[in-house]
Amino acid sequence: MTGTLINAGAIVAAGAVGLLLRRGIPENISRSLQDAMGLLILIIGIQYGLKTENLVVVGLSLALGTVFGEWRNWEGKLENTGKRLERLLGQEENLFVKGFVSATLVFCVGAMAILGALQDGLTHNYDILLVKSMLDGIMAMIFAASMGVGVLFSALPLLLYQGAISLGAGFLKPLLTDPVINNLTGLGGIIIAGIGLNTLGLARIRLANLLPGLLLVPLLMFLFK
């Protein structure tokens, strides 16, 4: 899990720098910076979404996963986690939860998170996660400057998610073939594009309720062989 620990540390350290910068940023610039991040996230999501190899599998996974996510209220659970952290730290800004949820989804969804954690777990080589750490650090600094301290706490779900993949790498590797990873990345891209729309204020999509679809992709690909 060395790479994941470095990744989480980069998010916290760069996010802290973003918080320091935030204090000197006027409100109008902060708002425009958030809009700029929304556009960037939207483009990243579209780029990931185009990696989809099987639209039927991704579409079904998204639909069925959304039904399950709404039923179990995954969005509410993630937001409640953010609110508990918010109260623990004495924060009163609504941006805390927004920053926590948005950053968690951006940092955890994508091929680099999966492949990097697998490589780290199987070979103890964390080159991919080093690159991801640099990219996530840049994003964390900009996110924290516009959305506040909640961004730093996205390092906790990342530790759990990538750490679980690294620890279970031997079992997961045969299941995560290139087509499976491409379709997972494609579905993740759809979710990330939704973050961009939410950040821009163009939509209010309960994105965490879409996450169960990621678990269904390998299963449906096996059934559609």
Side-chain angles (χ1 to χ4, degrees), residues 200-220:
L200 290 168
L202 299 177
R204 179 60 186 94
I205 307 168
R206 294 188 293 271
L207 292 165
N209 289 341
L210 278 56
L211 290 175
L214 295 170
L215 302 176
L216 295 175
V217 168
L219 175 62
L220 290 180

Side-chain angles (χ1 to χ4, degrees), residues 7 10-19 33-34 36-45 48 99 102-107 131-148 151-152 154 192 195-196 199:
N7 197 173
I11 290 170
V12 173
V17 173
L19 288 178
L33 186 59
Q34 191 171 327
M37 284 303 93
L39 290 171
L40 177 61
I41 294 167
L42 181 61
I43 293 300
I44 291 172
Y48 279 1
S102 297
T104 294
L105 294 176
V106 169
F107 296 149
V131 175
K132 182 176 182 292
S133 297
M134 289 187 285
L135 297 174
D136 287 355
I138 294 170
M139 294 291 285
M141 183 167 60
I142 299 173
F143 275 7
S146 61
M147 286 190 252
V151 173
L152 278 66
S154 64
I192 290 174
I195 298 171
T199 302

Side-chain angles (χ1 to χ4, degrees), residues 29-155:
I29 295 179
S30 179
R31 178 63 253 183
S32 295
L33 186 59
Q34 191 171 327
D35 288 340
M37 284 303 93
L39 290 171
L40 177 61
I41 294 167
L42 181 61
I43 293 300
I44 291 172
I46 292 171
Q47 189 177 39
Y48 279 1
L50 292 175
K51 296 183 182 294
T52 299
E53 289 194 12
N54 191 321
L55 285 173
V56 173
V57 166
V58 170
L60 277 174
S61 298
L62 185 61
L64 295 174
T66 300
V67 170
F68 182 83
E70 287 288 344
W71 174 48
R72 302 305 300 169
N73 193 22
W74 281 33
E75 177 87 1
K77 290 180 172 61
L78 189 57
E79 285 187 349
N80 286 337
T81 300
K83 287 175 182 176
R84 282 195 291 270
L85 290 169
E86 187 178 40
R87 288 193 297 269
L88 184 66
L89 295 168
Q91 298 287 315
E92 296 181 356
E93 310 177 56
N94 291 329
L95 275 180
F96 183 98
V97 176
K98 183 177 181 180
F100 172 72
V101 173
S102 297
T104 294
L105 294 176
V106 169
F107 296 149
C108 291
V109 174
M112 290 186 80
I114 297 171
L115 291 174
L118 276 176
Q119 182 191 50
D120 193 7
L122 290 169
T123 67
H124 304 296
N125 181 329
Y126 45 86
D127 288 349
I128 293 175
L129 289 183
L130 281 179
V131 175
K132 182 176 182 292
S133 297
M134 289 187 285
L135 297 174
D136 287 355
I138 294 170
M139 294 291 285
M141 183 167 60
I142 299 173
F143 275 7
S146 61
M147 286 190 252
V149 71
V151 173
L152 278 66
F153 286 84
S154 64

